[in-house]
Amino acid sequence: MSRQKDLSTHDAFLDTLLRVPQLYGARISPDGRHVAWIWAGLSETTQLWVAAADGASAPKQLVADDWDCDSFRWTPDSRAIVYGRSKDGDERLGLHLLPLDGKPAKPLTGDRPDYYIHGGQLAADGRSLIFAANVDPETGAEIEPSRIYRQDIISGERHVLARPERATHSAPLLSPDDKHILYVRNDLDPGGNQLWLTEIDGSFDREIVNVGAALKADGMWSPDGSTVLVVAETKTHRKVGLRRLDGNTIDWLIDDPERPIADAIWPRRSAEIVIEETRDARVVGWLLDPKTGKERLFGPYTDGELTPVGPLADGNWLAWHSGARYPARLVRVALEKSGPRILSDISRHPTAAIPSPSELVPAEEFRWKSDDGLPIQGWLYRAIGEPIGTILDVHGGPTGHDEDAFSVDPQYFARAGFNVLQPNYRGSTGFTLEFQEAVKKEGWGGAEQVDIRTGAEALIKAGIAKPGKIGITGTSYGGYSSWWAITHYPKDLIAAAAPICGMTDLVVDYETTRPDLRPYSEEMMGGTPETVPDRFRERSPIHFIENIKGRLLIIQGANDPNVTPQNVSDVRRLLDAARIAYDVLIFDDEGHGIGKPSNRKILLRRIANFFAEAFA
């Protein structure tokens, strides 16, 4: 109880952290005069905000209700936004049209449908709505593959434009001239993507880019709609090219195994393509002239990272500015010979109190080698004061990565007295394509878990962590990794685990998850529970609960459609039968992750006290 009382002294700091607005998904209006984004943390829901691109006025909240804004797109005339909303984390999006002139939003599809919608773009005619949904057009039943739809928002009539054979978890993209729709298929292999093109009237549907059945090709439109910007995988790296609609070849602009290309974007009003590299989980931005092939660095910038978004109407650029001690913000940037210069903060909330950099803990690079000699990188946040212990904070995905960016969890844990390591295990993005693909060699529960274990051992060897005082937590795949660690490693190495929405039985996860997500599990595991049953069983922590010697806190969102609550109910039944003690924390109004600020305060306080008690 004394430890709990000690940690409660940090509640005020936690309140401050939870009030920092979290920015997502910035988009510049087609005319370049406004910027919209999603803000979390200002209320119990994520909401849509907009600001003038010149920074002359404070941001304005467009929607204030008890729904979450999950995604959005500008209409071609820049006068309205199509946004998708859901409730309590169920991910069942309904699309709505919201004018910027203050008129009420108009529903375009029903809220909380019995299927999942991807995208939502309105054509210039003001009637044609383009989206993908895993719903059978004849029966209305939910199916695994998503269909590409055009819906007349006046009559409500829907037309199927394309019928992929397998599920795809991406949004179709309407061309700037409203003639074509670009989308991806993975009919040939769950690990690959091919680019397809269909006409808005459904007159044709054909493949336009295929770099291999098990390789991914993604794309976006050029500003004039005549060309598709392609980012495609090879066996060793990603390359960037242009595929004109009036030809059948691709002009590869960048094809260099030494360059860790992450993405390429061709913003409106820009003669240059934005190239994003990620080197050791740090973003490096370039501007590429597609006519000359010349590139210029978008940087350098000393305090935090500066990542380009696109040009604004006045010729200046919009960019993200972020860092572990710099909460993400959207800034106007002038591109000068000496480098980018920040002109103003477009997304500055008029009342939010942002902690100063001196109040926040920096993210230090921490490196080690896994058992097979592969170099692994992570971010270390050192405890303020005498450490209580160490927390491994594992990111989800696994195709994601932690970066030098502000996050509430490690800042609070460090202030509460814990060292925090965020490991970027193999399978993480942010490094090379080879590093990302390495997780597939053995499937989930393989070498990437060894990377996490050796990270804990490296902390002990470096004198940062102590045996018996290391815990692990994380959401989604981070939750799975937490389950894996507590069921496979000794208490001296992992003394406690707090998995959040983590998979316990990979067969149950495959069978009960969103139908449109199953191909991802198949890709990662090298097959289905029917084709590789032994691998699914061997990599499911539920079959190893008898090994649990440390403390366990199970955390779950009751509405999670991704890692469903059956993962928890099944493992609890076995834990009870084996008389293995555990704690449980269920949030009835959350889905895949715990997002509401009031719930996050409960969550983080509970985890901190849980680990403090386990290490005592």
Side-chain angles (χ1 to χ4, degrees), residues 15-21 42 327 348-356 359:
D15 288 337
T16 298
L17 293 175
L18 290 171
R19 285 194 296 267
V20 174
L42 294 173
R348 182 170 181 80
H349 190 274
T351 61
I354 307 298
S356 67
E359 296 178 87

Side-chain angles (χ1 to χ4, degrees), residues 109-149:
T109 66
D111 282 321
R112 310 186 90 167
D114 295 329
Y115 50 86
Y116 297 96
I117 289 176
H118 303 288
Q121 278 185 273
L122 193 63
D125 63 10
R127 296 187 61 161
S128 300
L129 178 68
I130 307 298
F131 61 91
N134 64 324
V135 58
D136 187 285
E138 283 76 37
T139 66
E142 183 180 55
I143 56 177
E144 183 170 308
S146 293
R147 305 306 188 205
I148 309 300
Y149 285 96

Side-chain angles (χ1 to χ4, degrees), residues 378-497:
W379 300 102
L380 176 64
Y381 295 78
R382 294 184 184 268
I384 295 178
E386 184 67 24
I388 297 171
T390 298
I391 297 174
L392 303 180
D393 182 16
V394 184
H395 70 74
T399 45
H401 68 273
D402 282 312
E403 54 191 8
D404 182 3
F406 173 81
S407 179
V408 171
D409 300 29
Q411 292 295 340
Y412 168 65
F413 291 145
R415 177 66 68 96
F418 299 93
N419 292 315
V420 181
L421 176 67
Q422 295 179 328
N424 283 320
Y425 49 86
R426 76 188 71 194
S428 301
T429 55
F431 300 85
T432 64
L433 179 61
E434 182 182 11
F435 185 85
Q436 178 182 326
E437 295 292 286
V439 71
K440 299 180 186 178
K441 292 181 180 180
E442 299 179 16
W444 292 343
E448 88 286 2
Q449 299 302 326
V450 177
D451 300 340
I452 297 170
R453 170 178 61 78
T454 52
E457 293 168 343
L459 289 171
I460 294 174
K461 186 176 181 179
I464 297 171
K466 296 180 180 180
K469 294 184 181 293
I470 301 176
I472 184 169
T473 188
T475 299
S476 190
Y477 199 79
Y480 168 74
S481 298
S482 301
W483 276 109
W484 183 269
I486 200 65
T487 57
H488 286 79
Y489 303 143
K491 188 177 179 180
D492 278 354
L493 187 63
I494 299 296

Side-chain angles (χ1 to χ4, degrees), residues 69-368:
C69 177
D70 295 335
S71 62
F72 70 93
R73 286 249 178 204
W74 285 94
T75 57
D77 61 7
S78 300
R79 296 179 180 178
I81 291 175
V82 175
Y83 74 98
R85 72 180 194 180
S86 66
K87 191 85 162 178
D88 294 336
D90 66 5
E91 300 180 16
R92 302 280 190 178
L93 263 65
L95 298 178
H96 292 250
L97 178 65
L98 180 67
L100 260 63
D101 60 8
K103 294 179 181 178
K106 173 185 176 181
L108 303 178
T109 66
D111 282 321
R112 310 186 90 167
D114 295 329
Y115 50 86
Y116 297 96
I117 289 176
H118 303 288
Q121 278 185 273
L122 193 63
D125 63 10
R127 296 187 61 161
S128 300
L129 178 68
I130 307 298
F131 61 91
N134 64 324
V135 58
D136 187 285
E138 283 76 37
T139 66
E142 183 180 55
I143 56 177
E144 183 170 308
S146 293
R147 305 306 188 205
I148 309 300
Y149 285 96
R150 184 188 79 244
Q151 176 180 312
D152 187 314
I153 67 170
I154 305 299
S155 67
E157 185 178 5
R158 291 181 178 179
H159 299 274
V160 177
L161 304 179
R163 297 174 180 264
E165 297 174 11
R166 298 177 61 97
T168 54
H169 194 69
S170 62
L173 298 176
L174 180 62
S175 63
D177 58 10
D178 286 353
K179 293 181 179 180
H180 305 101
I181 293 112
L182 184 70
Y183 71 101
V184 299
R185 286 197 184 195
N186 60 353
D187 296 347
L188 306 179
D189 188 285
N193 279 347
Q194 292 75 46
L195 278 174
W196 282 65
L197 191 71
T198 184
E199 193 88 350
I200 195 169
D201 62 5
S203 58
F204 71 81
D205 183 31
R206 60 189 174 91
E207 180 185 87
I208 62 168
V209 179
N210 184 340
V211 293
L215 297 173
K216 293 182 175 66
D218 292 298
M220 71 169 295
W221 292 105
S222 63
D224 65 0
S226 67
T227 307
V228 176
L229 173 64
V230 179
V231 180
E233 294 178 349
T234 70
K235 292 184 178 180
T236 59
H237 63 283
R238 293 185 183 89
K239 55 185 180 179
V240 179
L242 298 177
R243 205 285 194 186
R244 294 192 60 85
L245 296 190
D246 59 5
N248 293 313
T249 60
I250 301 175
D251 178 18
W252 295 109
L253 304 175
I254 301 176
D255 186 359
D256 183 351
E258 299 301 316
R259 296 191 64 175
I261 301 295
D263 202 2
I265 303 166
W266 200 339
R268 289 176 183 265
R269 295 173 310 284
S270 176
E272 296 171 297
I273 297 168
V274 174
I275 303 294
E276 287 189 7
E277 296 180 354
T278 48
R279 297 180 179 271
D280 290 341
R282 294 185 185 275
V283 178
V284 180
W286 297 84
L287 299 180
L288 166 67
D289 186 329
K291 294 181 179 179
T292 65
K294 292 183 178 180
E295 292 184 75
R296 53 176 176 153
L297 183 65
F298 194 92
Y301 194 76
T302 54
D303 296 325
E305 292 186 353
L306 204 60
T307 309
V309 177
L312 303 169
D314 61 4
N316 292 307
W317 275 68
L318 180 73
W320 290 98
H321 176 234
S322 63
R325 296 188 296 164
Y326 302 94
R329 58 180 182 151
L330 292 166
V331 294
R332 290 174 64 245
V333 172
L335 298 185
E336 301 175 343
K337 290 185 178 180
S338 59
R341 178 171 61 90
I342 293 179
L343 301 174
S344 62
D345 182 351
I346 289 178
S347 62
R348 182 170 181 80
H349 190 274
T351 61
I354 307 298
S356 67
S358 62
E359 296 178 87
L360 300 174
V361 176
E364 304 175 22
E365 284 199 272
F366 185 77
R367 298 177 182 272
W368 67 97

Side-chain angles (χ1 to χ4, degrees), residues 551-567:
R551 291 281 303 276
L552 175 62
L553 169 61
I554 304 171
I555 302 159
Q556 180 70 29
N559 300 320
D560 191 344
N562 187 327
V563 179
T564 63
Q566 187 176 336
N567 283 271

